[in-house]
Amino acid sequence: ALAAIVRIMSLRYLGDELAGSRVTLLEALKKSAKSLKSDKESMLALLAIGQWFINFGMEESDEYAAVETMLKTIVADHKSGSVRAIALNILGIANFIAGVDFNDAADVMRFISERFFTTSASAPVGLLRQAFETYGFLLTVVVDGNRRLAEHTFDKVFKAHLDALALDAVDVRVASAQNFALMHEALSKGAADFEFDRQDELVATLQMIRQESAKRHGKRDTQAQRSAMRDVLKTIDGGEAPELRLVLGGRSVSFGCWARIVRLHSFRACLGGGLPRHFVENPLLQDIFEVEFDMHSDAFLRNEGRVVISPSSEIAKMRTKEMRKQRVAQNAYLQQLDYDYE
């Protein structure tokens, strides 16, 4: 059953145990993802493909090439906005892990821009939010590979991001705003006094959003929006990075910059509650986030899997809210593990 596969691959690192059957498993998952039997089957299969790359996909550029076209087709043509959103998330995960280099990431970013960031584009809120999130996720790859290309690429979608701040959807606003913070942080590394060309307009818009009345969106959404905009403004207007920490395996892992937080969010969206286990066991995540764990230490045995987020971190609060919503929309399998998908 797909639900069981998704649950196992999310909660355990299987890269060594099932390495010999990885190609056969991926082929079966691709077949299920393309099936039109049900949206639930497609969503589960797509999640499993993302988890396959997290478990087995390091340096598997051929396997990425084999799924890229399929995922882009689903994103472009599937009738379900939820399926399209998950496919876009998985496209980002697969590209990040197994793409050849930053040019592959830039290619997917262009696909997203052409599909979702033009004046004629139209998409459900959840899918549009995912478009901004995946764009930011892959932007971290291009920034690391070629900062000038990243700046040029982001300049082309600057207006689309600014326009997104004017939409009513809080999640879309937050995703767009965080990409501004991510790009500002990256470009500030070479120039401490860096400012966007339309910095004053951007800051004024973010401040206006932060001060919006709760009557427009409701108390909870308004509070979350204010918290997120506060973190973004701290970076763009004050040069301060957000604070986020996980305590795993007896050590504190810091996510004190936007690039690490954006990457963490994307992997968490795919792995759900299995993220702590993969951090401890999966060499891919350890390489990406530059952490190591001694699984035989007393500290590890006392702290395995415990997650601690700084209570003073506003971005941590917003991430918690976002992930609650994503678990409803993207990780439906957690509530339906007894459903027969065979």
Side-chain angles (χ1 to χ4, degrees), residues 71-294:
L71 292 172
K72 284 182 175 179
T73 299
I74 293 173
V75 171
D77 300 333
H78 201 282
K79 67 182 186 301
S80 166
S82 296
V83 173
R84 293 171 69 194
I86 293 180
L88 187 52
N89 183 33
I90 301 312
L91 176 60
I93 289 284
N95 182 289
F96 183 94
I97 295 171
V100 174
D101 58 21
F102 63 86
N103 290 303
D104 271 356
D107 175 70
V108 174
M109 290 166 65
R110 282 191 293 272
F111 168 78
I112 294 172
S113 176
E114 292 167 0
R115 184 67 55 177
F116 299 104
F117 296 165
T118 63
T119 55
S120 60
S122 176
V125 169
L127 178 56
L128 186 57
R129 183 205 66 224
Q130 188 62 60
F132 280 104
E133 290 184 351
T134 301
Y135 192 93
F137 180 44
L138 295 180
L139 184 60
T140 68
V141 178
V142 181
V143 164
D144 284 350
N146 188 323
R147 191 170 299 177
R148 181 173 295 181
L149 175 61
E151 183 176 8
H152 177 69
T153 301
F154 191 75
D155 281 345
K156 292 182 178 180
V157 298
F158 189 98
K159 184 179 184 301
H161 278 71
L162 199 60
D163 290 344
L165 296 177
L167 299 178
D168 284 336
V170 170
D171 288 347
V172 175
R173 287 178 168 186
V174 169
S176 170
Q178 290 174 352
N179 285 354
F180 280 120
L182 171 66
M183 196 69 236
H184 192 282
E185 177 184 73
L187 297 177
S188 296
K189 292 179 180 178
D193 58 348
F194 169 79
E195 289 189 354
F196 291 120
D197 289 341
R198 300 169 68 177
Q199 175 104 349
D200 291 343
E201 178 184 0
L202 173 60
V203 170
T205 300
L206 293 170
Q207 289 175 337
M208 181 180 66
I209 293 173
R210 179 183 169 188
Q211 296 168 2
E212 276 187 349
S213 168
K215 294 180 180 179
R216 182 170 183 179
H217 298 292
K219 185 175 180 180
R220 291 184 63 183
D221 281 350
T222 300
Q223 289 177 339
Q225 179 173 258
R226 287 175 180 171
S227 296
M229 296 306 157
R230 186 181 302 121
D231 276 330
V232 171
L233 280 165
K234 283 181 180 178
T235 296
I236 294 176
D237 206 25
E240 298 180 30
E243 296 180 4
L244 176 62
R245 289 182 178 273
L246 303 181
V247 177
L248 298 165
R251 62 171 298 176
S252 176
V253 182
S254 173
F255 300 86
C257 70
W258 284 102
R260 287 171 68 86
I261 289 174
V262 166
R263 290 174 176 181
L264 175 69
H265 174 59
S266 292
F267 282 101
R268 187 178 178 186
C270 188
L271 292 171
L275 179 72
R277 185 73 173 265
H278 275 269
F279 252 102
V280 172
E281 298 180 357
N282 192 330
L284 172 69
L285 266 65
Q286 293 173 12
D287 181 58
I288 291 170
F289 294 101
E290 301 177 327
V291 295
E292 294 181 359
F293 296 92
D294 180 0

